[in-house]
Amino acid sequence: MTIGRCGPVCFSCSAPPSKSYTHRALIIAALADGQSEIIGQLDADDTRMTARALMQLGVRLDWCRENIRVQGTGGHLKAPAEEINIQDSGTSMRLLTGVSLLADGPVVLTGSARMQERPLGPLIDTLNNAGAKITSLKNPGCPPVRIDGAFPAGDLYVDGSISSQFISSLLIAAPYADNDVHIHLTGDPVSLPYILMTIDSMRAFGAEVFVEGDEKEPVFTVSSQKRYKPQTYGIEGDFSSSSYWFALAAICGGSATISGLNPLSAQGDRRLLEILVNMGCTITEKQESIILSRDPGVLLKGIEVNMADCPDIVQTVCMVAAVSSSPSRITGVHHLRIKESDRIWAIANGLTTLGGRVETEEDAIVIYPAPLHGGIIHPENDHRTAMSFAVLGCFIGDVTILDAGCVTKSYPGFWEELRRIWQNAVLC
């Protein structure tokens, strides 16, 4: 996909449904005792992976255009005869690792070559230390894994410094333990808002979760007496996917009006709005939409910010930083190295290819002002790399994104929406 330059933009669009909430709603509804309806789900590669895996685990599921009807199992899953291949969906892999202990026999989860390099060790160690029998079948601490045993009750200690999804995996399955579960976080936890999204989803389906302690050492207690009840559950808009449209208006100037977002959402990526305001943009919240604007005559400013709690928008912010008038330093990013690609390398390599000046550290990215030019970006099958550099391409022009189809992982309609916005770009 080759992108030409466009001037100030002025557009409106609807936020796509939240990927994170769709994953969670699917799995929780599958464990509830009765039929649930999920309304307005995200239809993308990753969420389809979760749905397909649940069907292999014995869940009856009817995926329609506007909704999904899920016949819950009451926490009694069936072990499939064949392994479950979730390809590149890290969320599916991690959330289903804990949940697979609710099956009536061994479950094997596998994925793509990249998935087989992504760490699962802290979650495996936590569950095995509590009595489960999970074995890595290839690379130590990575998929594919054979999962057997029962989900443990009592005190569980998990390293939260690599991925919040390890904690979410334990939380989602915990109502079906024999007794209450107390989940203790060790290490400096990252992406805490995603844990709060998990708890939000659990409570919506009737689970009881208590949060104690402080942000550094929280303890999550899940009652085994309050299991999931079937619900009609609507999926809110996704701040992660909407970040590209907010960034487009920030980078090119003009305005973006995005509807379908919850201003009070638990999504950590909502913080993008605060970051962009600090870089020189203006936010207006209306009853049904959020408007971001930047007068093309107002220069963007660099920023120093810790983004450990919102990793999925780091690449988006880096694109805005690349066209800012002063340097930016973004910290709290060490865990980006184990995403669909090494995103720290992807940001540095891509921006350098386009003439940018970037320095990387173990836990930081520093971006300096530099004249940018066109070039070719290979996203290495990473949807967020493709989408973030596409937005920057609208400012630079003559930027080609290879393997553009990788965006179907989270946002199948991205290119169509970008083409519409680009073609209708007008001076504001």
Side-chain angles (χ1 to χ4, degrees):
M1 192 70 68
T2 298
I3 302 152
R5 182 172 182 172
C6 66
V9 296
C10 184
F11 65 92
S12 300
C13 65
S14 297
S18 167
K19 181 166 80 80
S20 297
Y21 272 118
T22 301
H23 279 299
R24 287 156 174 77
L26 278 166
I27 298 171
I28 291 171
L31 299 179
D33 190 5
Q35 181 172 287
S36 294
E37 181 182 18
I38 301 170
I39 300 173
Q41 73 276 9
L42 175 68
D43 190 351
D45 291 350
D46 272 17
T47 52
R48 286 280 186 170
M49 284 299 117
T50 291
R52 189 173 302 137
L54 291 170
M55 293 173 71
Q56 283 188 255
L57 289 165
V59 179
R60 285 192 291 156
L61 187 151
D62 184 14
W63 188 303
C64 304
R65 183 172 181 176
E66 303 293 337
N67 66 346
I68 310 171
R69 288 186 292 274
V70 182
Q71 186 62 47
T73 62
H76 301 291
L77 301 175
K78 296 186 180 299
E82 299 179 351
E83 65 182 20
I84 299 174
N85 188 336
I86 52 77
Q87 297 182 21
D88 283 309
S89 179
T91 304
S92 305
M93 173 62 70
R94 288 164 173 163
L95 297 188
L96 290 172
T97 295
V99 169
S100 293
L101 287 170
L102 303 178
D104 59 5
V107 176
V108 175
L109 298 179
T110 190
S112 66
R114 173 61 179 173
M115 182 61 63
Q116 294 180 24
E117 297 174 348
R118 297 181 67 182
L120 200 59
L123 179 57
I124 294 172
D125 291 344
T126 294
L127 290 168
N128 283 349
N129 289 340
K133 301 173 183 177
I134 303 177
T135 307
S136 292
L137 301 178
K138 190 175 180 181
N139 299 320
C142 297
V145 288
R146 183 181 186 274
I147 302 163
D148 199 7
F151 191 87
D155 292 298
L156 304 179
Y157 295 85
V158 58
D159 184 351
S161 65
I162 296 177
S163 174
S164 66
Q165 291 172 353
F166 299 156
I167 297 94
S168 289
S169 182
L170 300 174
L171 284 166
I172 289 173
Y176 295 89
D178 289 339
N179 292 295
D180 292 357
V181 177
H182 310 282
I183 302 170
H184 304 258
L185 270 60
T186 62
D188 291 328
V190 296
S191 307
L192 277 173
Y194 285 93
I195 300 173
L196 300 180
M197 291 169 66
T198 299
I199 293 172
D200 182 43
S201 301
M202 293 171 66
R203 287 172 173 165
F205 281 82
E208 199 169 70
V209 187
F210 302 98
V211 183
E212 299 173 316
D214 56 31
E215 283 192 4
K216 290 294 184 182
E217 295 183 348
V219 179
F220 305 98
T221 296
V222 183
S223 171
S224 61
Q225 303 302 311
K226 295 283 187 177
R227 295 182 170 177
Y228 302 128
K229 298 177 181 178
Q231 302 291 330
T232 298
Y233 184 83
I235 302 296
E236 65 179 53
D238 195 313
F239 274 91
S240 307
S241 293
S242 298
S243 73
Y244 307 111
W245 309 133
F246 288 127
L248 181 59
I251 291 171
C252 293
S255 68
T257 301
I258 315 297
S259 60
L261 293 170
N262 174 12
L264 302 177
S265 175
Q267 295 180 57
D269 290 349
R270 179 167 59 94
R271 190 170 167 225
L272 175 76
L273 302 178
E274 171 196 329
I275 292 171
L276 292 181
V277 166
N278 290 334
M279 297 182 82
C281 300
T282 301
I283 296 292
T284 304
E285 292 186 6
K286 295 195 172 181
Q287 187 173 358
E288 296 182 353
S289 62
I290 299 174
I291 304 170
L292 180 138
S293 57
R294 181 180 71 84
D295 186 317
V298 175
L299 294 177
L300 288 164
K301 300 173 291 185
I303 193 170
E304 183 161 345
V305 60
N306 185 301
M307 297 185 68
D309 281 347
C310 43
D312 284 348
I313 58 169
V314 169
Q315 287 161 294
T316 312
V317 172
C318 285
M319 300 303 112
V320 182
V323 300
S324 295
S325 59
S326 55
S328 293
R329 180 180 174 83
I330 300 167
T331 60
V333 297
H334 66 275
H335 51 307
L336 265 65
R337 296 191 184 278
I338 58 167
K339 297 289 186 178
E340 286 85 339
S341 67
D342 179 343
R343 287 181 177 167
I344 294 178
W345 178 88
I347 292 165
N349 182 68
L351 288 177
T352 301
T353 296
L354 302 180
R357 184 180 163 211
V358 185
E359 293 178 359
T360 63
E361 302 168 12
E362 181 61 30
D363 195 39
I365 303 170
V366 183
I367 299 174
Y368 298 92
L372 302 175
H373 54 70
I376 298 173
I377 301 295
H378 197 310
E380 304 291 339
N381 201 37
D382 193 324
H383 55 137
R384 301 209 183 278
T385 301
M387 291 187 282
S388 58
F389 275 97
V391 168
L392 183 60
C394 290
F395 175 82
I396 302 172
D398 194 28
V399 171
T400 298
I401 311 293
L402 303 179
D403 188 25
C406 67
V407 302
T408 59
K409 179 178 175 65
S410 64
Y411 198 165
F414 175 81
W415 293 115
E416 181 180 354
E417 193 71 82
L418 181 63
R419 184 179 290 109
R420 179 187 69 83
I421 294 167
W422 190 92
Q423 289 175 341
N424 292 288
V426 294
L427 291 175
C428 298

